[in-house]
């Protein structure tokens, strides 16, 4: 999926450059440079979250295997180093959570600007497509309509993948404490039982959430919220456009009369 996003960025930027008319190279660079910065930031975030998610999966898979063993054996655990292993895994999990929060603080402002710009561009390009379709001028201005549709696809793919990456990372980061709670112990193993209970309570304070300057979370819900808000504003703009055209025709008819 990440290769699809990179390919989409490259193709989108190349098509935008060669389909636009500029007097000199500086005009092309003005259009290309901000998009390449956004592409670089997004791809860096994608790669970082993929690595962190794999680390979380290693910890969770080991804990899940131990959880299955606790369900199958009557007396569990049988390993004398069980408590040390659990503490080590939880410490690794805490370090990964701290790294994720540091990454979030680095990309927090980028997320805020990215969501704002993408939302405005998405609404404007959707309005262009809707306007050409409603007025029947899509054959006359097909190049502009195709460019707007291309931009809508780019914004949609980028929003989907960033939201999905953040949601999957948070899912793996918050899954650990749910696995620890599901361990089954013999009541006589007081030390091991107390260790799991203590570690589970500690992990409750390490909840992972990717946000934009702590204003809103970057997750799957954001994608649906942005799409819903974009279509709501689109319908409002189309209605305002119809009312304006109706008022203009009334003024014109009254002037002619």
């Amino acid at each position: 999926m990440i290769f699809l996003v990179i390919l989409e960025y490259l193709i989108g930027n190349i098509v935008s450059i060669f389909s636009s008319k500029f007097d000199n190279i500086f005009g092309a660079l003005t259009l290309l440079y901000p998009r390449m910065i956004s592409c670089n930031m997004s791809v860096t975030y994608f790669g970082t979250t993929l690595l962190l998610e794999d680390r979380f999966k290693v910890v969770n898979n080991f804990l899940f295997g131990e959880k299955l063993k606790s369900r199958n054996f009557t007396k569990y655990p049988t390993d004398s180093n069980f408590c040390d292993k659990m503490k080590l895994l939880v410490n690794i999990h805490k370090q990964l959570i701290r790294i994720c929060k540091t990454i979030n603080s680095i990309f927090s402002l980028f997320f805020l600007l990215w969501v704002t710009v993408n939302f405005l561009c998405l609404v404007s390009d959707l309005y262009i497509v809707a306007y050409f379709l409603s007025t029947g001028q899509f054959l006359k201005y097909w190049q502009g309509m195709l460019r707007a549709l291309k931009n809508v696809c780019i914004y949609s793919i980028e929003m989907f993948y960033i939201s999905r990456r953040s949601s999957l990372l948070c899912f793996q980061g918050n899954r650990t404490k749910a696995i620890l709670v599901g361990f089954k112990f013999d009541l006589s193993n007081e030390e091991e039982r107390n260790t799991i209970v203590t570690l589970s309570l500690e992990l409750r304070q390490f909840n992972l959430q990717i946000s934009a300057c702590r204003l809103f979370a970057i997750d799957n819900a954001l994608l649906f919220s942005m799409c819903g808000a974009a279509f709501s504003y689109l319908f409002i703009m189309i209605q305002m456009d119809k009312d304006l055209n109706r008022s203009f025709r009334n003024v014109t008819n009254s002037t002619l009369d």
Side-chain angles (χ1 to χ4, degrees):
M1 184 65 183
I2 188 173
F3 296 105
L4 176 61
V5 174
I6 296 174
L7 183 64
E8 167 260 329
Y9 268 116
L10 294 177
I11 294 177
N13 290 328
I14 292 174
V15 170
S16 298
I17 294 299
F18 287 98
S19 62
S20 303
K21 297 180 180 180
F22 299 99
D23 297 332
N24 49 45
I25 191 63
F26 296 103
L29 290 177
T30 302
L31 176 64
L32 180 62
Y33 186 67
R35 295 190 179 185
M36 293 306 297
I37 292 178
S38 176
C39 176
N40 183 47
M41 293 286 290
S42 300
V43 172
T44 302
Y45 177 74
F46 296 157
T48 305
T49 52
L50 279 172
L51 292 175
L52 292 172
E53 183 184 351
D54 288 337
R55 275 32 176 202
F56 278 120
K57 284 182 179 179
V58 172
V59 175
N60 291 334
N61 289 338
F62 181 84
L63 290 175
F64 190 75
E66 294 296 321
K67 175 185 173 181
L68 293 180
K69 291 180 181 179
S70 69
R71 299 285 180 174
N72 296 329
F73 291 97
T74 304
K75 291 186 177 182
Y76 180 86
T78 58
D79 189 0
S80 59
N81 298 324
F82 174 79
C83 294
D84 295 333
K85 288 182 179 179
M86 293 296 105
K87 291 178 182 179
L88 177 60
L89 289 173
V90 171
N91 287 333
I92 294 174
H93 181 273
K94 291 179 181 179
Q95 288 297 112
L96 291 174
I97 292 291
R98 293 189 183 99
I99 294 174
C100 290
K101 290 183 177 181
T102 303
I103 297 298
N104 186 19
S105 64
I106 294 174
F107 287 90
S108 185
L109 182 60
F110 166 73
F111 286 147
L112 182 61
L113 296 176
W114 167 82
V115 170
T116 304
V117 173
N118 269 23
F119 178 76
L120 295 176
C121 293
L122 182 63
V123 172
S124 61
D125 286 321
L126 284 175
Y127 176 74
I128 292 174
V129 174
Y131 179 80
F132 285 153
L133 291 176
S134 61
T135 57
Q137 301 182 17
F138 55 91
L139 294 178
K140 182 178 180 181
Y141 301 101
W142 63 271
Q143 291 182 345
M145 184 173 176
L146 288 180
R147 190 178 297 118
L149 285 174
K150 182 264 298 180
N151 292 334
V152 169
C153 293
I154 290 177
Y155 303 144
S156 301
I157 293 175
E158 185 180 3
M159 285 191 299
F160 169 77
Y161 195 65
I162 286 185
S163 301
R164 178 176 173 79
R165 282 274 85 247
S166 301
S167 296
L168 290 176
L169 177 63
C170 293
F171 172 76
Q172 291 296 333
N174 298 325
R175 182 178 170 225
T176 306
K177 54 179 173 288
I179 298 176
L180 284 176
V181 173
F183 273 81
K184 182 180 179 180
F185 291 96
D186 186 14
L187 295 178
S188 60
N189 295 330
E190 183 178 355
E191 181 182 0
E192 289 79 3
R193 185 181 68 250
N194 293 337
T195 299
I196 294 298
V197 171
T198 302
L199 295 177
S200 300
L201 293 176
E202 290 180 1
L203 288 182
R204 291 179 62 88
Q205 302 177 2
F206 286 82
N207 188 41
L208 180 59
Q209 184 183 57
I210 305 298
S211 63
C213 296
R214 297 183 179 180
L215 296 177
F216 49 85
I218 307 296
D219 52 13
N220 292 330
L222 175 65
L223 179 63
F224 291 101
S225 299
M226 289 187 63
C227 292
F231 281 105
S232 298
Y233 280 105
L234 177 64
F235 292 145
I236 293 173
M237 293 171 64
I238 293 175
Q239 187 62 39
M240 291 178 62
D241 191 27
K242 291 182 178 180
D243 294 339
L244 183 62
N245 291 334
R246 189 181 301 108
S247 300
F248 180 76
R249 287 195 298 268
N250 293 334
V251 171
T252 303
N253 294 331
S254 61
T255 303
L256 293 176
D257 294 339

